[in-house]
Amino acid sequence: MREQGPRYAIYYAPDMDDPLWRFGSQCIGYDAQTGADTAVPQAGAIPPQDWLAWTQEPRRYGFHATLKAPFHLVDGASEGKLIDSMAQFASARTGFWLPDIDVRAISQFVAITPLTPKDELQDLARDCVTAFDRFRAPPDEADRARRLSSPLSARQLELLEAWGYPYVMEQFRFHMTLTSSLPDAERAMVVAELSRRFRDEVGRTDLLIGGFALFRQDTRQSRFRIMKRFAFNSENSLQAQP
């Protein structure tokens, strides 16, 4: 198998001076902006060693919400062309608010997610999937096998074949992951503890989607890091929620 080089992902990530970024990065024990480990929470019902065990998977990716899932570049594409395309996309995009984010369980893991869907969010995710798909190399057999190891519906299999990821289009659900898969016995306790921390440390339930970021993973063994952030055209005018 030939070496495919780094993987890239297009994610939403809160601004690095946003309390939400600090909260999420501390929860998973890693700051994808600096590439440094963070001190996990020292107080509360969950011991630090359990935090580290329960956040191993999200720590690989950094605190984010997926807009276009990780991909290798297709032959003929380049990192520079991808960056240029993202800048052009962002310059024509309008920011918007999510009014009701909170910590919730999604299936077996815990994440920050909005209570209700929002058309602007679904449109952004769809457009990121389609606009940047020309940069995506088809998944190799190992990647495809990993995806197929999870139970997928017929529609999700169709989306996997078309876009390289099953949770896109109407299957998309915005979420910022805080834990790996958790046993049933621990999940409710983790949600309660993280909800308390979210209220205390973030202090709000609205979220401005005012841009996106390009993340890069140099090798399969390394963590993703933020390469570049892109502000949407209207971000400055949306700093205060109407």
Side-chain angles (χ1 to χ4, degrees):
M1 182 187 302
R2 69 180 180 86
E3 176 59 44
Q4 289 185 292
R7 289 200 301 169
Y8 298 87
I10 298 171
Y11 290 155
Y12 168 77
D15 290 339
M16 64 180 301
D17 60 352
D18 189 324
L20 180 59
W21 176 256
R22 294 192 293 272
F23 170 79
S25 297
Q26 185 181 48
C27 282
I28 66 174
Y30 171 61
D31 188 320
Q33 183 73 54
T34 64
D37 289 341
T38 65
V40 297
Q42 297 297 311
I46 306 171
Q49 62 270 24
D50 288 342
W51 280 104
L52 289 173
W54 293 345
T55 56
Q56 183 175 1
E57 187 67 11
R59 196 155 49 248
R60 291 180 57 218
Y61 295 91
F63 183 55
H64 75 279
T66 299
L67 296 173
K68 188 164 184 65
F71 58 92
H72 293 284
L73 290 177
V74 70
D75 289 343
S78 70
E79 185 179 282
K81 290 179 180 178
L82 176 58
I83 289 172
D84 289 345
S85 182
M86 290 181 67
Q88 183 178 11
F89 181 99
S91 70
R93 205 78 200 184
T94 301
F96 56 90
W97 287 91
L98 299 181
D100 58 354
I101 62 168
D102 204 351
V103 176
R104 299 180 178 90
I106 300 179
S107 185
Q108 304 298 309
F109 63 95
V110 177
I112 296 172
T113 186
L115 180 62
T116 55
K118 191 173 180 68
D119 289 344
E120 294 95 327
L121 185 57
Q122 299 300 119
D123 292 346
L124 173 63
R126 180 201 64 225
D127 292 348
C128 284
V129 168
T130 58
F132 303 108
D133 205 57
R134 60 193 174 94
F135 292 97
R136 177 182 64 86
D140 61 24
E141 288 305 313
D143 283 334
R144 192 171 185 278
R146 276 191 290 271
R147 290 294 178 199
L148 292 174
S149 66
S150 300
L152 299 175
S153 68
R155 175 57 175 160
Q156 289 167 346
L157 287 170
E158 179 183 354
L159 293 169
L160 175 64
E161 293 300 323
W163 304 108
Y165 192 60
Y167 308 112
V168 297
M169 307 307 173
E170 78 283 355
Q171 300 293 312
F172 169 77
R173 182 175 182 182
F174 180 94
H175 60 277
M176 293 179 280
T177 303
L178 297 173
T179 73
S180 306
S181 180
L182 297 175
D184 292 345
E186 278 81 26
R187 198 176 312 116
M189 181 264 290
V190 171
V191 169
E193 177 65 19
L194 291 183
S195 295
R196 181 187 66 78
R197 291 184 181 278
F198 177 77
R199 291 190 298 271
D200 291 346
E201 298 174 22
V202 179
R204 69 173 199 275
T205 60
D206 58 346
L207 178 63
L208 173 65
I209 307 298
F212 59 11
L214 179 63
F215 282 55
R216 171 176 162 146
Q217 181 192 39
D218 290 335
T219 71
R220 285 286 186 160
Q221 291 71 45
S222 61
R223 296 176 185 170
F224 279 86
R225 286 197 61 181
I226 295 177
M227 284 193 64
K228 188 172 179 62
R229 292 176 180 267
F230 303 83
F232 294 158
N233 185 53
S234 61
E235 182 183 23
N236 291 336
S237 65
L238 291 174
Q239 289 302 315
Q241 184 176 6

